[in-house]
């Protein structure tokens, strides 16, 4: 029998607040286990929670970005269940009165556009984290994450394939990151996804029994888990069995899902209003303020990059795929524009090329670790700032350095600041250092210390050209006899003799004049 796939998604987005949902503990990732806790997030008797105002503001902004209605009155509830990483024995969440309802997200364009309805988005606190590493047959609990503000975003069952679900999740992540409410780091658990998947016979209107896939933290795993689950449920139904409503975990090493626990009805959580928190009222002024804080959406930024900076679609795709990368590009262009009279379209394409090819190429090489293996660096980890790159491009534009020298200066600055130890003979720049090595050199200091300033003096260039022509008299005669393709040979020889520092435009002009006899 053929089946339709029906998928709904629950996404848990950690909000970028400095403190937790109901207490003042830090939310910084990576601290030593159980060092960011207090009696409130540890669930000690007699403590009282206080709602984080910034989390509420972020929820309103997100709801507006997701085209939701913001509820004027909503409240928190206790969701009761036991788990080792839940110190209170219950989670403070929102149930029948969530803060955001009835929204939508759209992805694709024209006839491929797909709208996914958002049923609700509600505030809650995160649980801690169980660690199953270290001593054999022992588990540990880190409660640093317990109490971190979460926004749980729940869709209607509108997706019909794993590809659609992944496309929606990517779009959702782009929106969250663009609004500065979540960093979208799935590896660190800042954004986690729980697909609810069921099968039904083709043409049937009745939904099948759904299975929840718990806490998946990468697009690749989300797709793989759903594809496996479709095959598993298809086999169960084809063999005459019944799919059991349950929660399953994805095992990436085995490439399969496994039962975590049976999934009963929602009332088994014994939701009831949180007695320590009064209802939360959202005023029209708070919603208006939320609209004012909305930031540029990824699609709008993509269009603007093409129009304002004259970028081709591919460049705009790459640069707007990550907010930090788009910000780096714009800051680099702005720094150049402030130092010149040039506009965005005159600076955009060259800046884009240097970021996409040269800088990202260096970032992808990464920083060697203790084991000798290098992991790629993100743009936010770049040791080269937008101002550094702007300075380099300005020197190139003024003719102080050539493009070739500019690339080696960039590598020198990048490697020096990262503390790379390059093997003998693999130094980024071959010119000797004329002064003491610099720990954190600027573009100008590298050019000065390495004697890399471009040679534009006509007399000096003529002398180099004369020496090259004297060493290659046979090629000079061949050129003057009509073999004009040798011109590139002479340009290469002059650039080589000058150590790459000769001004290319002047070299071309002088060579043509001298070779003409």
């Amino acid at each position: 029998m053929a089946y339709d796939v029906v998928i709904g998604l629950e996404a848990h987005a950690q909000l970028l607040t400095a403190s937790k949902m109901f207490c003042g503990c830090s939310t910084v990732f990576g601290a030593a286990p159980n060092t960011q806790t207090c009696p409130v997030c540890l669930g000690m008797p007699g403590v009282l929670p206080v709602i984080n105002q910034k989390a509420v503001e972020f929820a309103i902004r997100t709801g507006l970005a997701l085209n939701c209605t913001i509820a004027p009155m909503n409240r928190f509830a206790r969701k009761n269940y036991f788990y080792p990483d839940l110190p209170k024995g219950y989670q403070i969440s929102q149930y029948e009165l969530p803060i955001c309802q009835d929204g939508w997200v759209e992805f694709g364009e024209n006839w491929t556009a797909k709208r996914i309805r958002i049923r609700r988005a509600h505030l809650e606190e995160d649980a801690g984290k169980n660690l199953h590493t270290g001593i054999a047959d022992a588990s540990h609990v880190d409660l640093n994450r317990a109490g971190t503000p979460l926004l749980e975003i729940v869709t209607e069952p509108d997706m019909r394939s794993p590809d659609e679900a992944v496309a929606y999740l990517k779009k959702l992540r782009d929106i969250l990151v663009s609004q500065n409410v979540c960093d979208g780091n799935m590896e660190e658990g800042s954004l986690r996804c729980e697909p609810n998947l069921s099968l039904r016979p083709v043409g049937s209107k009745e939904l099948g029994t759904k299975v929840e896939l718990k806490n998946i933290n990468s697009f690749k795993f989300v797709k793989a888990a759903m594809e496996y689950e479709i095959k598993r449920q298809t086999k169960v139904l084809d063999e005459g069995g019944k799919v059991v409503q349950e929660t399953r975990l994805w095992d990436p090493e085995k490439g399969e899902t496994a039962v975590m626990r049976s999934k009963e009805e929602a009332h088994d959580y014994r939701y009831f209003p949180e007695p320590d928190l009064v209802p939360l009222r959202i005023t029209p002024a708070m919603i208006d303020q939320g609209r004012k804080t909305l930031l540029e959406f990824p699609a709008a930024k993509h269009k603007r990059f093409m129009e304002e900076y004259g970028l081709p679609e591919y460049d705009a795709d790459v640069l707007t795929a990550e907010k930090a990368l788009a910000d780096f590009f714009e800051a680099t262009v702005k720094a150049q524009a402030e130092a010149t009279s040039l506009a965005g379209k005159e600076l955009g394409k060259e800046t884009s090329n240097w970021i996409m090819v040269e800088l990202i190429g260096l970032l992808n090489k990464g920083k060697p670790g203790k084991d000798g293996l290098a992991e790629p660096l993100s743009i936010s980890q770049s040791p080269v700032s937008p101002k550094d790159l702007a300075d380099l491009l300005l020197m190139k534009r003024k003719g102080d350095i050539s493009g070739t020298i500019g690339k080696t200066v960039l590598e020198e600055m990048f490697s020096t600041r990262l503390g790379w130890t390059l093997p003998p003979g693999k130094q980024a720049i071959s010119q000797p250092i004329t002064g003491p090595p610099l720990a954190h050199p600027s573009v100008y200091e590298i050019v000065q210390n390495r004697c890399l300033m471009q040679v534009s003096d006509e007399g000096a260039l003529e002398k180099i050209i004369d020496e090259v022509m004297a060493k290659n008299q046979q090629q000079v005669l061949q050129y003057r006899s009509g073999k004009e393709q040798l011109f590139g040979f002479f340009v290469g020889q002059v650039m080589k003799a000058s150590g790459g520092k000769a001004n290319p435009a002047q070299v071309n002009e002088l060579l043509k004049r001298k070779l003409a006899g």
Side-chain angles (χ1 to χ4, degrees):
M1 183 180 290
Y3 302 99
D4 281 333
V5 178
V6 180
I7 301 171
L9 283 180
E10 299 174 12
H12 295 81
Q14 285 187 350
L15 299 179
L16 283 173
T17 57
S19 58
K20 294 185 180 180
M21 187 69 225
F22 301 112
C23 68
C25 290
S26 172
T27 58
V28 174
F29 179 83
N34 298 307
T35 58
Q36 296 179 170
T37 59
C38 72
V40 175
C41 56
L42 290 177
M44 297 296 183
V47 297
L48 292 173
V50 177
I51 298 172
N52 187 324
Q53 180 179 339
K54 184 61 71 174
V56 174
E57 292 172 0
F58 282 176
I60 293 172
R61 186 192 303 174
T62 305
L64 293 172
L66 298 177
N67 305 292
C68 290
T69 298
I70 308 301
M73 200 279 280
N74 54 98
R75 68 184 179 196
F76 289 91
R78 287 191 182 183
K79 180 180 180 181
N80 294 275
Y81 65 96
F82 171 79
Y83 212 62
D85 59 10
L86 195 69
K88 291 194 289 279
Y90 62 87
Q91 178 188 33
I92 300 179
S93 182
Q94 292 183 321
Y95 183 42
E96 78 278 11
L97 293 173
I99 190 167
C100 309
Q101 301 175 67
D102 301 326
W104 51 268
V105 167
E106 197 167 72
F107 57 85
E109 295 180 2
N110 302 324
W111 62 272
T112 64
K114 174 85 176 185
R115 177 172 289 192
I116 306 300
R117 292 170 296 159
I118 304 293
R119 179 183 300 171
R120 58 188 282 145
H122 60 265
L123 283 165
E124 62 185 19
E125 59 180 339
D126 208 345
K129 188 174 182 180
N130 291 323
L131 305 173
H132 308 291
T133 57
I135 303 172
D137 300 321
S139 293
H140 306 270
V141 180
D142 179 7
L143 295 175
N144 281 348
R145 195 174 70 179
T148 296
L150 282 183
L151 190 66
E152 180 174 344
I153 302 162
V154 183
T155 76
E156 298 291 352
D158 288 348
M159 287 153 276
R160 296 294 178 264
S161 71
D163 285 333
E164 279 191 0
V166 170
Y168 158 77
L169 189 58
K170 287 182 176 180
K171 181 76 173 189
L172 176 64
R173 181 187 180 277
D174 287 346
I175 292 172
L176 294 171
V177 173
S178 74
Q179 297 306 309
N180 283 343
V181 296
C182 174
D183 64 18
N185 191 322
M186 299 185 78
E187 289 185 359
E188 293 181 359
S190 301
L191 181 63
R192 310 191 293 275
C193 174
E194 296 180 355
N196 290 279
L197 186 148
S198 65
L199 302 183
R200 64 184 178 190
V202 171
S204 173
K205 299 297 182 183
E206 185 178 347
L207 294 174
T209 302
K210 70 178 180 180
V211 169
E212 180 182 39
L213 303 175
K214 194 72 172 174
N215 281 341
I216 306 178
N217 64 348
S218 81
F219 298 127
K220 177 182 176 182
F221 291 161
V222 166
K223 183 177 180 181
M226 286 189 287
E227 288 176 341
Y228 174 85
E229 192 59 24
I230 291 169
K231 293 178 183 177
R232 187 190 72 83
Q233 291 187 29
T234 298
K235 185 173 185 293
V236 170
L237 295 173
D238 283 348
E239 293 176 351
K242 291 186 177 181
V243 175
V244 177
Q245 184 175 349
E246 59 193 4
T247 298
R248 299 177 72 90
L249 292 174
W250 169 247
D251 187 332
E253 293 185 3
K254 294 182 179 179
E256 61 186 30
T257 63
V259 177
M260 178 184 177
R261 60 173 178 256
S262 63
K263 184 74 172 178
E264 303 297 341
E265 298 300 323
H267 61 249
D268 282 344
Y269 287 123
R270 296 185 5 261
Y271 280 103
F272 63 85
E274 169 57 57
D276 292 332
L277 292 171
V278 298
L280 178 62
R281 296 191 180 277
I282 307 298
T283 66
M286 293 169 70
I287 298 174
D288 288 342
Q289 182 60 32
R291 285 197 178 93
K292 291 176 183 177
T293 62
L294 281 173
L295 303 174
E296 188 176 33
F297 290 103
K301 181 171 289 186
H302 183 279
K303 182 180 179 182
R304 180 171 64 83
F305 271 35
M306 293 178 67
E307 294 175 350
E308 184 175 335
Y309 299 113
L311 298 180
E313 186 171 3
Y314 176 76
D315 291 44
D317 285 343
V318 173
L319 293 173
T320 61
E322 183 183 350
K323 184 177 183 298
L325 186 59
D327 291 345
F328 191 102
F329 167 78
E330 292 208 271
T332 306
V333 172
K334 182 181 178 182
Q336 294 175 77
E338 289 175 348
T340 65
S341 58
L342 299 176
K345 284 189 177 180
E346 298 171 285
L347 298 166
K349 181 55 181 169
E350 183 180 35
T351 303
S352 171
N353 288 345
W354 276 78
I355 291 175
M356 290 170 52
V357 178
E358 306 304 331
L359 183 58
I360 289 181
L362 291 169
L363 291 170
N364 286 339
K365 290 181 181 179
K367 181 179 181 180
K370 294 180 180 178
D371 56 2
L373 300 176
E375 293 186 4
L377 299 172
S378 67
I379 191 69
S380 58
Q381 296 172 304
S382 172
V384 175
S385 69
K387 177 65 164 56
D388 293 326
L389 184 57
D391 288 343
L392 187 149
L393 293 178
L394 286 169
M395 289 193 76
K396 177 181 174 296
R397 187 173 292 275
K398 286 165 58 179
D400 293 338
I401 57 174
S402 65
T404 302
I405 290 296
K407 293 174 184 178
T408 55
V409 169
L410 180 65
E411 184 176 351
E412 178 86 357
M413 181 163 50
F414 191 97
S415 60
T416 303
R417 291 182 180 182
L418 274 186
W420 281 357
T421 302
L422 299 176
K426 296 291 184 180
Q427 283 76 17
I429 300 173
S430 59
Q431 280 79 359
I433 299 175
T434 59
L438 300 169
H440 198 79
S442 68
V443 173
Y444 302 106
E445 288 169 335
I446 291 174
V447 170
Q448 183 178 6
N449 268 28
R450 294 290 200 181
C451 299
L452 298 173
M453 194 68 75
Q454 187 163 266
V455 178
S456 298
D457 178 75
E458 188 169 315
L461 291 177
E462 283 188 335
K463 182 179 179 182
I464 295 173
I465 291 171
D466 289 341
E467 291 174 356
V468 168
M469 290 176 64
K471 291 179 181 178
N472 299 277
Q473 300 243 346
Q474 185 177 352
Q475 285 83 354
V476 171
L477 293 173
Q478 290 175 337
Y479 177 87
R480 289 172 175 170
S481 298
K483 201 172 181 179
E484 294 184 356
Q485 61 265 39
L486 282 171
F487 187 77
F489 165 79
F490 287 107
V491 172
Q493 291 299 307
V494 172
M495 295 305 293
K496 182 178 178 181
S498 70
K501 294 185 289 183
N503 186 311
Q506 285 186 273
V507 167
N508 276 266
E509 183 182 341
L510 291 172
L511 264 174
K512 285 178 183 178
R513 193 166 70 213
K514 284 185 170 288
L515 287 171

